[in-house]
Amino acid sequence: MNQVQNSVTLIGNLGKDPVKKGSKQNSVTSFSLATNESYNNKDGEKINVPQWHRCVAFGKKADTPVQYGKKGRKLTQQGQSKYDS
């Protein structure tokens, strides 16, 4: 049986400065990332539609968004996709 991988790479702009909480060993960083989908409508106008992603990084990976990210900056994030209901 084939194993299905849950791997996501997002490249977008930060909506706010990342927020880090917790201790050094148990840190959690949350941030919002905007990606854009663009297409041409029937009149030939280019339409940009933002998609917002709420991201959470844990442990050692929680340091990177805080260290390099500020509102508006482009950021690449790799990880797994999990959805809350």
Side-chain angles (χ1 to χ4, degrees):
M1 185 180 276
N2 291 341
Q3 283 189 323
V4 178
Q5 296 289 328
N6 182 356
S7 179
V8 175
T9 301
L10 295 172
I11 303 171
N13 293 3
L14 287 166
K16 296 180 186 176
D17 289 349
V19 176
K20 186 175 177 181
K21 296 180 181 178
S23 65
K24 193 166 189 167
Q25 288 93 9
N26 296 318
S27 57
V28 177
T29 298
S30 59
F31 55 96
S32 58
L33 199 60
T35 58
N36 286 308
E37 179 182 347
S38 61
Y39 63 91
N40 292 328
N41 68 10
K42 64 181 180 181
D43 298 326
E45 288 180 87
K46 187 175 181 177
I47 305 295
N48 289 316
V49 181
Q51 300 289 321
W52 286 95
H53 309 272
R54 285 188 315 171
C55 301
V56 180
F58 300 94
K60 208 172 194 182
K61 291 184 178 185
D63 294 334
T64 305
V66 174
Q67 187 176 9
Y68 297 105
K70 295 286 180 210
K71 180 181 176 179
R73 278 205 178 148
K74 190 169 291 263
L75 183 74
T76 301
Q77 185 67 32
Q78 294 180 316
Q80 295 178 330
S81 180
K82 294 183 182 179
Y83 296 96
D84 293 333
S85 56

